[in-house]
């Protein structure tokens, strides 16, 4: 009974660890969304080929230098700001303007004197899902809307920068591709973007959840069910096929292995969905966590069933074998 109590306590600890990992990842994901700085302004940079981007978070503001490739290159300060935010910008005879209160950019091909047409926007259900995903967003028309714009002529065309509030910095490259870059930030190095959530209308990326779960379960099952128990007096095993590893006779041991395989699958599925932590990719850390979870599951699956095996009946010696 004491052995069963120890095993039950360890399995309960595994269950609590899975619940704790789930809670940690959920909190980290919410914290990442809260951490995204709101891009409130984009203005002309003090150096040619750059813009200055202002972010605000928790009542504190910061300025960042972003070059015409869309790359953040340095932190800035108020002294480098020489122009105000504009709602319209032109380059090479093409003008763009933001639509206040919405995530929308319009374009005019004749210097802004003619009709504007919408060339980029997030609207409808996609906008609703995006807004609902930001904790503590507030007024959507203020905090999730296009605010200011800067256009630069570059070799091969022109680029565009748009301050989109909580949706970060929007960048149009010279090839007419639009990129939701996120908010400039810095950690141990300078600088990187805190990415914004994927839109519901965008193609889903590769999902490692099911492959990771299936692989983790399979490895733990193989380790627990097909490994030969240590040979010691009073341990009864059954060999189903000569030459193959023996298996414990205890049903409780088999159930324990199945439980551990399920827990390892769940833990690995959670781990590979770990959000990014600053400059550290979440998938990299999650893969390390998943490997550690599988390793721990294999160790427990090999050792815990041994504690549940009943001693052999008096008079038996070693392991009994049953051959076909």
């Amino acid at each position: 009974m004491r052995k069963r109590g120890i095993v039950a306590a360890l399995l309960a600890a595994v269950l609590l660890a899975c619940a704790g990992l789930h809670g940690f990842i959920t909190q980290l994901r919410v914290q990442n969304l809260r951490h995204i700085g709101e891009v409130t302004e984009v203005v002309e940079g003090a150096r040619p080929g750059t813009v200055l981007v202002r972010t605000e978070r928790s009542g504190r503001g910061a300025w960042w230098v972003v070059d015409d490739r869309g790359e953040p290159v340095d932190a800035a300060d108020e002294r480098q700001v020489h122009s105000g935010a504009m709602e319209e910008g032109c380059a090479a005879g093409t003008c763009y303007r933001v639509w206040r209160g919405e995530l929308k950019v319009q374009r005019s091909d004749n210097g802004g004197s003619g009709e504007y047409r919408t060339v980029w926007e997030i609207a409808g259900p996609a906008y609703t899902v995006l807004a609902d995903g930001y904790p503590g967003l507030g007024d959507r028309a203020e905090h999730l809307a296009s605010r200011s714009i800067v256009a630069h002529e570059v070799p091969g065309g022109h680029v565009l920068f748009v301050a989109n509030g909580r949706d970060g910095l929007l960048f149009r490259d010279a090839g007419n591709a639009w990129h939701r870059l996120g908010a400039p930030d810095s950690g141990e190095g300078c600088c990187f973007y805190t990415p914004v959530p994927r839109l519901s209308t965008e193609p889903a990326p590769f999902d490692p959840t099911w492959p990771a779960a299936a692989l983790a379960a399979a490895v733990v099952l193989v380790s627990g069910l097909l490994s030969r128990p240590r040979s010691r007096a009073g341990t009864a095993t059954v060999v189903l096929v000569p030459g193959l590893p023996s298996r414990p006779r205890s049903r409780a041991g088999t159930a324990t292995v199945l439980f551990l395989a399920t827990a390892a699958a769940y833990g690995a599925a959670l781990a590979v969905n770990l959000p990014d932590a600053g400059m550290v990719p979440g998938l990299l850390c999650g893969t390390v966590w998943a490997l550690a979870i599988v390793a721990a599951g294999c160790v427990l699956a090999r050792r815990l069933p041994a504690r549940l095996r009943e001693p052999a009946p008096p008079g038996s010696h070693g392991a009994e074998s049953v051959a076909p």
Side-chain angles (χ1 to χ4, degrees):
M1 291 297 294
R2 183 176 174 222
K3 290 182 178 180
R4 290 179 179 271
I6 293 175
V7 171
L10 288 172
L11 295 181
V14 169
L15 194 60
L16 289 175
C18 288
L21 180 60
H22 180 272
F24 171 76
I25 291 177
T26 300
Q27 284 297 111
L28 182 59
R29 186 171 288 112
V30 172
Q31 184 63 28
N32 281 355
L33 289 173
R34 291 185 183 277
H35 186 73
I36 295 176
E38 183 170 343
V39 176
T40 57
E41 292 181 71
V42 57
V43 300
E44 287 287 354
R47 303 196 304 263
T50 65
V51 296
L52 295 178
V53 179
R54 180 173 176 81
T55 61
E56 293 184 4
R57 183 174 61 246
S58 302
R60 303 177 65 179
W63 287 93
W64 307 90
V65 179
V66 178
D67 64 21
D68 280 347
R69 300 169 301 166
E71 298 291 335
V73 294
D74 200 1
D77 56 41
E78 298 282 353
R79 293 172 296 179
Q80 296 177 262
V81 180
H82 301 300
S83 62
M86 304 291 291
E87 295 185 4
E88 183 175 354
C90 300
T94 302
C95 292
Y96 296 86
R97 70 183 184 188
V98 298
W99 192 270
R100 294 288 290 182
E102 299 181 24
L103 287 175
K104 180 186 293 187
V105 179
Q106 295 186 316
R107 170 174 172 163
S108 172
D109 293 320
N110 53 3
S113 60
E115 181 180 356
Y116 277 84
R117 70 183 189 278
T118 299
V119 291
W120 181 92
E121 71 174 329
I122 300 175
Y127 181 88
T128 301
V129 172
L130 180 65
D132 291 342
Y134 283 111
L137 177 62
D139 184 3
R140 297 180 179 183
E142 178 182 358
H143 300 288
L144 193 60
S146 301
R147 298 188 177 187
S148 57
I149 195 168
V150 173
H152 281 173
E153 187 172 357
V154 297
H158 59 273
V159 296
L160 190 70
F161 302 86
V162 184
N164 273 350
R166 287 291 293 275
D167 203 55
L169 182 66
L170 176 66
F171 176 65
R172 177 208 180 270
D173 63 27
N176 198 32
W178 297 84
H179 308 273
R180 297 165 61 234
L181 297 179
D185 204 346
S186 66
E188 295 180 359
C190 185
C191 305
F192 63 92
Y193 286 108
T194 302
V196 291
R198 179 181 65 87
L199 295 177
S200 59
T201 54
E202 294 176 343
F206 169 71
D207 186 0
T209 301
W210 287 109
L215 183 60
V219 171
V220 174
L221 280 173
V222 169
S223 178
L225 295 180
L226 298 184
S227 60
R228 183 185 299 274
R230 293 181 180 178
S231 176
R232 52 182 166 180
T235 299
T237 59
V238 177
V239 178
L240 298 180
V241 180
L244 287 183
S246 56
R247 299 187 299 181
R249 289 174 57 183
S250 169
R251 291 183 180 179
T254 302
T256 298
V257 173
L258 292 175
F259 174 86
L260 290 170
T262 303
Y266 181 64
L270 289 175
V272 296
N273 284 283
L274 188 72
D276 294 342
M279 300 179 69
V280 181
L283 185 59
L284 176 62
C285 291
T287 300
V288 175
W289 280 30
L291 292 174
I293 289 169
V294 171
C298 289
V299 172
L300 292 175
R302 291 173 64 92
R303 296 195 174 187
L304 291 188
R307 291 181 171 271
L308 296 171
R309 283 193 293 273
E310 299 294 339
S316 64
H317 299 283
E320 64 182 27
S321 298
V322 179

